[in-house]
């Protein structure tokens, strides 16, 4: 699969306009190769994040070449339409980073697959991992041997994927039934798992996010 991770900064007063524009992406539900798209607000409400999943790079590239700009234009029109005193001026948010890459490892859980997990999840956990040079093989092996079995047994983890974004950068994304399920796992299991997995030897920097998902930002095939 091909994964896309989008980070956006939303200025004060821009949340409603951003959410309205995000709903425009429901129009791609008929796009060939779309597995699903979800997103939500970071704590504090100043940043929003979106995870897109595609069958392969070819499907994603075809979408970007034809449909993507149409949706961006519609979203921009939505933003411009709010200049009547009901909301912030255009420019109330900006995309700060977009990264894509191939999924290199499945994370199995309670769902039948990642497509099923995208349909059922109410929470998303993402760990953006920058590795020490030469540690990718051990990092992925630890994911298979330590993290995957523990998350599968944690209760509430539906499915996930590890995506290679660069030579020494991997995105670990997991979908959960709810935020409480992930919080219980994080508090009960993660400290011991970090030691077993040798995280300090593999990872030089990690940005972690746990997001409650916005139901009306969800885009699934055939549901547009």
């Amino acid at each position: 699969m091909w994964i896309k991770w989008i980070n956006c900064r939303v200025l004060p007063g821009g949340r409603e306009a951003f959410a309205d524009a995000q709903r425009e992406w429901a129009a791609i539900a008929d796009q060939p190769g779309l597995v699903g798209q979800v997103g939500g607000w970071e704590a504090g409400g100043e940043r929003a994040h979106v995870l897109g999943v595609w069958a392969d790079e070819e499907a994603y590239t075809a979408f970007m070449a034809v449909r993507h700009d149409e949706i961006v234009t519609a979203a921009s029109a939505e933003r411009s339409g709010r200049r009547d005193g009901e909301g912030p001026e255009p420019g109330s948010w900006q995309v700060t980073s977009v990264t894509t890459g191939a999924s290199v490892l499945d994370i199995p859980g309670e769902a039948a697959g990642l497509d099923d997990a995208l349909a059922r999840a109410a929470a998303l956990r993402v760990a953006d991992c920058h590795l020490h040079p030469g540690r990718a093989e051990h990092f992925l092996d630890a994911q298979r041997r330590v993290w995957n079995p523990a998350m599968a047994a944690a209760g509430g983890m539906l499915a996930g994927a590890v995506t290679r974004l660069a030579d020494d950068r991997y995105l670990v994304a997991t979908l959960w039934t709810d935020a409480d399920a992930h919080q219980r796992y994080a508090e009960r299991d993660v400290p011991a798992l970090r030691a077993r997995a040798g995280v300090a030897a593999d990872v030089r920097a990690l940005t972690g996010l746990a997001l409650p998902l916005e139901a009306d930002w969800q885009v699934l095939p055939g549901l547009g």
Side-chain angles (χ1 to χ4, degrees), residues 1 5 15 19 27 31 40 42 50 63 68 97 101 114 123 147 154-155 181 217:
M1 291 187 182
W5 177 235
R15 280 176 60 105
Q31 182 70 28
E42 190 174 331
V50 176
F63 160 70
H68 177 268
S97 67
L114 197 55
W147 294 105
W217 296 8

Side-chain angles (χ1 to χ4, degrees), residues 125-212:
R125 163 65 179 177
V126 169
D128 189 350
C129 304
H130 294 260
L131 308 185
H132 295 293
R135 299 298 297 183
E137 184 176 350
H138 183 270
F139 172 81
L140 292 172
D141 184 59
Q143 184 68 47
R144 294 185 191 94
R145 293 185 300 101
V146 178
W147 294 105
N148 280 15
M151 282 191 285
M157 202 287 289
L158 295 168
V162 180
T163 299
R164 181 181 179 274
L165 299 178
D167 287 346
D168 294 317
R169 184 182 178 191
Y170 289 81
L171 189 78
V172 182
T174 49
L175 294 150
W176 297 75
T177 53
D178 53 63
D180 288 344
H182 175 263
Q183 186 65 24
R184 286 192 299 271
Y185 159 75
E187 294 176 353
R188 180 188 64 211
D189 300 331
V190 167
L193 292 170
R194 287 178 64 88
R196 284 181 54 203
V199 171
D202 290 341
V203 181
R204 63 176 177 83
L206 185 152
T207 301
L209 292 170
L211 301 174

